[in-house]
Every structure is written in structure tokens, then in C-alpha cells.
Amino acid sequence: MDKSHTIFRKFCLIMMMSLFSVFALVAQNTVNISGDIKQYKATQVNIYYYTEFVRYSKKTFNAQLNEKGKFSIDIPLKQKQPAFFKYGRINVPILLEPNKPVRLSANANDLLATLKFFGKNSAENQFLATYHQAFMANGKQYKIYDYFKNMNPEQFLTYLKTHHQAQINLLKKYQAQQNLNEAFVQYQTRMFEVQRWKNLLIYSEEKAFSTKGKPMLPKDYYSQLPQVFSWTDEWVKSTDYQYLVSLYLKHKFRQENPEKTSTRDYYNFVKKTIESKKAPQLLSHQLAKIVCRGLMSGDFSLAQLQVMYDDCLALNRLPALEKLLKTQYQVAKQLDKGQAAPAFTLKNIEGKQVSLSDFKGKVVFLDFWASWCPPCMREVPHAKKLQEKLKAQPVVFLYISVDQNAKMWKRAVEKKQIQGVHLNAPGVKNSVTQAYNIRAFPHYIIIDKEGKIWHRNASRPSREAYQQIVAALESE
């Protein structure tokens, strides 16, 4: 065999090894989720996880069931990732890891009771499903709001202790029956503590909101918080931990800086608190929350937020947060106070065309709502009182419904006797809602007499809307 053939064989061998390495790397950076859904009606399953914890953006993957109810999907994944399996209206937490396939089976008629996991991480995923059914499913996660409202502080502390012990007992019972990964057990144990501290911190605020009165807390109420707080990127993908960190920071800020109330003071406090903890992802999230809240609230001009925005971008280490910050900045720039309100023309209840420009010379209180939106309906009586207080003023209450069913829209207006100008822009995502960056309902915007944005995220009629509208009326 001549030298050229030897070189060629070596070249082929190197190429084959390189291709094998590439395929191995691809395999290690993916996870396969497959399953069998019996007696299915919906023909699609979704796997999703959060990419950031400010606006909770999701990365979603869809898989279609075949005629036998089977599905299979490969998801790009570089590291361990808490995620959710969604079928119909049911969302079940799952744990994904690269190169550890997840297989499941269930009966669609009673998915939670019949959901079974197989293969690697099956014990851990089975526990998550069991925990979800025991503590979260069928509205159980919302029971906490009844406890906020109806329990006094002592009763609530007792509930937190009992609930936490029930979580631990379930984990211990399951651990005795299944071979759960020790790191998984330790993580879940810590997350149960995180949930307890989170609810302890939010109790006072939720109690005040639901009862219209601030509760008197025992002197030792906050003694159950950790003496040494854990600042770590290891838990940064936990929604409970992210929420706890935000609550804990606010609590400590009020304790240590009772005379300081500005957003800039709070931003500097958060930065100083976390920056030395070697948790850059956590720091990025917490600072981005402050800046995004300022950009979305409409309470600050861009000029007031610019220094914090620039600093936050410079410190940020997460692409998803960079994208979010830049997007929110551009939206705030377009809807900043003094900018021309985006024009629109829509049909009213009588089918006539109505334009925003028709109301120039008057302050417009713009209300984005829907007949299927309970918070929107709860604001109706307050809006009537607001209109009564302002009836002698040049103010227009302009309602834009996103109802796709025109009959439901008109019926709600008539039944609730909602006074004002009523227009319809069907669908949650339409040209008008997108122009005004409407992400939730109800949403209120105040437009001044010149047709310019006065407040891009105004208060509800039940809160400070009156003061904001009066300020717009008095402006030159």
C-alpha cells in the first residue's frame, strides 16, 4: 500500500472520529421526552420552561400525538432544567437533564392520577407529579389567599409550620419507597423552606390588601427567617426562590433604610447586597426586576431611569434578560410621557367608526378590558363612582374590549351598565393592544388633551386613578 493510501485512510478515520464526537456532543446537549396518552382528546402536548424570572418568558416545545396517542420530541438542553409538561389545562412540573430521556404514560380522562414516569429521573419526576397533585392541583395552590385574608398572624404561623411539615412528610414517605437522588432530596427540602419564608414575608402585604387594614404582627414574627440568607445561583431557576429574594430584599431595605423610599436608593441597596455574594445571575435578575418595573410602571420618565438601565445592562450576564431589558426600554420610549398616543380607529357598539383623534381637547381614560376578565368586572362599580366625581370635567372614559364574541361584549356593557364610549378590538393580540404594549387586563392609560401619553400604566379606578386624571386635567 503506497503512502497516499495510508494518508487517505488516516484522513477518513479522523473524519469519522470527528463526526462521532459531534454526534455525541449533540446527544449530550439534548433530552428526549416521549410518551403515550390513552383516550386522548387534545392532540398536542407542550414542554416549557422559563428563560427569565422578571416577565417569566417561556421557551415552549410542542409535540403532536399520533393516531395511537404517542409522541416524541427532542429538546436542546445543556444543563439540568426545571420544566413543565402540559396537556390540555394541566401543567405538571418535571425535571429535565441532558442525555436522560423522560418517558411517561397517562390516561387523559384522569391524567394526574394515572401519570407514570419511566427511565432515568423517573423517581424524581414521579415525586414531582405526586407533590403537584397533593399540594397544587385543582386550585389547592390558591387556598393560601384565603388564609392570608382569614387568618390572624398567630394562626398563619401555625399554618405555615403545619404545611411545611406535611411537605417534609410526603418527601420522607416517598424517599422510603423510592430511591430518590440525594441531591434532589436536599434541593426539595430547601425549596420547602423557601416557600415557607416566602409566604411568611408576603402575609402582611396580602392581608392589608384583602382586608384594607394593616395587621399587627407579633414582635417575633420575622424571627423564623433564616439567620444567614442563601444568595446563590444554584437556585436561580426556582420561581419560589426568585420571589423570596425579592421579598427579603424589600424587607431588609425597609428595616435598614426607613427614611429612604426612592427606586434609585432601592436599586443601589440591592446591588450592594448581592454584588459580593458571587451570584451574578441572581444579581442580574433582581436588578432587571427593578428596572423593568420602572419601565413598565409609567411612574418614571426614561431620563429618570437611564442611569439604572445602563448600569443594569452592564452588569447583566443573561442573554434573555438583555433582550427583555432592551425590548421594555423601546416600548417605554414609544409610550413615554409626552409621546403621541398611537392612533387607532375602531367600531363602537352601533357599528360606527370612532378614532382616538375624535377626543382631542379632552383627557382620555383608556380602559382595555374583556367580559371574561373578573378583575375588569370588579372595577366597574369603582369606575362609575369615578365618572360621577369627574362628570363636570372634560374627561372621556374610552373602553376598548378585546372580546372576540361581540354578543358577550355588548351583553356585559348592557348588564353592568358600563357608561362611556365602547369600542371593540377583537383578540388579546391585535394592532391596538400591541401598539400600547398591553400584556394583562384590565390595563389603563391616560392620554392628555393634546393626544399625548400622560401615563402609560395608570392606576385602577379603585385606587389612585382619580388623582392621576386630575393631574392630567391640570397640566398645561
Side-chain angles (χ1 to χ4, degrees):
M1 184 179 295
D2 60 29
K3 186 175 180 180
S4 61
H5 281 97
T6 303
I7 294 173
F8 179 74
R9 288 182 64 187
K10 286 182 178 180
F11 173 77
C12 291
L13 182 60
I14 291 170
M15 287 298 295
M16 289 177 65
M17 291 176 67
S18 298
L19 286 171
F20 179 78
S21 298
V22 169
F23 291 140
L25 181 62
V26 170
Q28 290 173 0
N29 288 339
T30 62
V31 61
N32 176 264
I33 301 100
S34 61
D36 178 9
I37 309 295
K38 295 179 174 60
Q39 295 186 299
Y40 66 90
K41 295 178 182 177
T43 58
Q44 181 174 275
V45 300
N46 313 109
I47 310 295
Y48 68 90
Y49 58 83
Y50 295 108
T51 58
E52 49 85 8
F53 297 87
V54 177
R55 291 299 296 270
Y56 293 89
S57 302
K58 296 177 183 176
K59 183 73 173 176
T60 303
F61 304 88
N62 305 318
Q64 296 294 325
L65 303 183
N66 65 19
E67 66 279 1
K68 295 182 179 180
K70 298 181 183 296
F71 72 91
S72 179
I73 182 172
D74 290 317
I75 293 178
L77 199 70
K78 295 182 179 180
Q79 56 190 344
K80 188 182 297 185
Q81 176 69 56
F84 292 87
F85 167 77
K86 184 176 186 293
Y87 178 78
R89 295 183 178 181
I90 298 175
N91 298 264
V92 181
I94 58 174
L95 179 64
L96 301 179
E97 286 191 64
N99 205 32
K100 289 189 177 181
V102 175
R103 293 190 295 113
L104 62 88
S105 69
N107 188 309
N109 289 333
D110 194 354
L111 190 135
L112 286 175
T114 60
L115 183 59
K116 302 295 181 187
F117 289 92
F118 309 92
K120 298 176 180 178
N121 279 344
S122 60
E124 289 74 23
N125 280 321
Q126 199 68 57
F127 171 78
L128 292 175
T130 302
Y131 174 84
H132 178 79
Q133 187 172 20
F135 291 99
M136 304 294 288
N138 301 316
K140 295 187 185 75
Q141 72 267 43
Y142 300 118
K143 285 288 184 181
I144 188 74
Y145 293 99
D146 293 332
Y147 305 148
F148 288 143
K149 181 178 180 179
N150 299 321
M151 289 182 176
N152 63 38
E154 291 79 7
Q155 291 170 328
F156 190 69
L157 287 173
T158 300
Y159 158 74
L160 288 181
K161 183 178 180 180
T162 303
H163 183 76
H164 179 252
Q165 190 58 54
Q167 292 174 313
I168 295 296
N169 289 344
L170 179 65
L171 182 60
K172 287 181 177 179
K173 179 181 178 181
Y174 207 89
Q175 173 71 335
Q177 298 171 351
Q178 301 287 337
N179 184 27
L180 292 175
N181 180 279
E182 185 59 33
F184 175 85
V185 173
Q186 292 177 4
Y187 175 80
Q188 290 302 320
T189 302
R190 294 295 285 171
M191 288 305 104
F192 294 156
E193 292 175 336
V194 163
Q195 290 174 25
R196 183 183 183 182
W197 297 328
K198 176 196 73 174
N199 288 326
L200 183 143
L201 281 167
I202 202 174
Y203 169 79
S204 181
E205 181 181 329
E206 289 290 339
K207 183 75 170 179
F209 177 76
S210 60
T211 63
K212 308 302 179 185
K214 192 174 181 179
M216 293 294 293
L217 301 177
K219 290 183 179 180
D220 62 346
Y221 181 82
Y222 292 111
S223 64
Q224 297 186 43
L225 290 172
Q227 296 300 309
V228 178
F229 195 85
S230 297
W231 308 97
T232 175
D233 279 350
E234 290 182 21
W235 303 341
V236 78
K237 293 180 181 179
S238 163
T239 54
D240 286 321
Y241 178 64
Q242 289 277 7
Y243 198 1
L244 170 66
V245 171
S246 297
L247 292 169
Y248 184 78
L249 286 166
K250 290 177 184 176
H251 171 69
K252 298 301 288 186
F253 178 69
R254 294 182 189 124
Q255 271 191 339
E256 299 175 16
N257 306 276
E259 76 289 352
K260 294 182 178 180
T261 58
S262 76
T263 299
R264 182 63 184 273
D265 286 333
Y266 181 60
Y267 180 93
N268 290 335
F269 171 80
V270 171
K271 181 180 176 181
K272 182 179 178 181
T273 301
I274 307 179
E275 200 166 24
S276 62
K277 308 300 182 184
K278 296 182 180 179
Q281 293 184 43
L282 183 63
L283 176 64
S284 295
H285 269 99
Q286 294 301 317
L287 294 182
K289 280 185 180 183
I290 300 169
V291 174
C292 282
R293 190 177 297 117
L295 291 170
M296 292 184 289
S297 71
D299 293 330
F300 309 96
S301 67
L302 282 186
Q304 292 173 300
L305 293 168
Q306 192 68 52
V307 172
M308 288 184 286
Y309 172 78
D310 292 339
D311 184 66
C312 187
L313 271 182
L315 290 169
N316 176 60
R317 295 293 180 269
L318 299 169
L321 286 182
E322 180 181 354
K323 179 181 178 181
L324 175 67
L325 283 162
K326 290 182 176 179
T327 299
Q328 291 301 320
Y329 183 86
Q330 288 303 315
V331 169
K333 188 175 181 180
Q334 294 166 9
L335 298 174
D336 200 19
K337 186 175 180 179
Q339 294 293 315
F344 58 80
T345 299
L346 298 168
K347 288 184 179 180
N348 65 11
I349 284 184
E350 291 76 30
K352 296 179 180 179
Q353 299 280 2
V354 176
S355 299
L356 176 62
S357 58
D358 296 341
F359 306 105
K360 196 166 185 180
K362 297 181 179 181
V363 169
V364 176
F365 187 64
L366 193 55
D367 181 341
F368 287 89
W369 71 291
S371 65
W372 42 258
C373 164
C376 302
M377 294 296 100
R378 285 197 292 269
E379 290 297 319
V380 171
H382 301 287
K384 290 179 180 179
K385 293 178 183 178
L386 185 61
Q387 290 178 42
E388 182 63 25
K389 291 172 72 174
L390 294 164
K391 63 181 180 181
Q393 302 295 328
V395 179
V396 175
F397 286 80
L398 182 55
Y399 291 87
I400 297 183
S401 164
V402 296
D403 280 284
Q404 291 180 297
N405 187 322
K407 290 183 179 179
M408 295 295 290
W409 164 47
K410 294 176 181 178
R411 187 182 304 164
V413 172
E414 182 180 356
K415 183 178 179 180
K416 296 291 184 178
Q417 297 182 329
I418 305 174
Q419 302 300 313
V421 179
H422 291 279
L423 308 178
N424 185 226
V428 171
K429 292 184 178 181
N430 56 65
S431 60
V432 182
T433 57
Q434 289 180 332
Y436 284 90
N437 193 39
I438 308 303
R439 299 293 186 90
F441 302 92
H443 188 105
Y444 305 93
I445 293 171
I446 297 174
I447 300 170
D448 69 16
K449 299 172 188 176
E450 299 299 318
K452 297 178 180 178
I453 298 291
W454 174 262
H455 204 301
R456 64 178 174 270
N457 190 15
S459 185
R460 296 185 179 194
S462 59
R463 298 180 183 173
E464 289 81 39
Y466 175 75
Q467 291 87 339
Q468 292 175 346
I469 294 172
V470 168
L473 284 166
E474 294 175 348
S475 67
E476 293 297 331

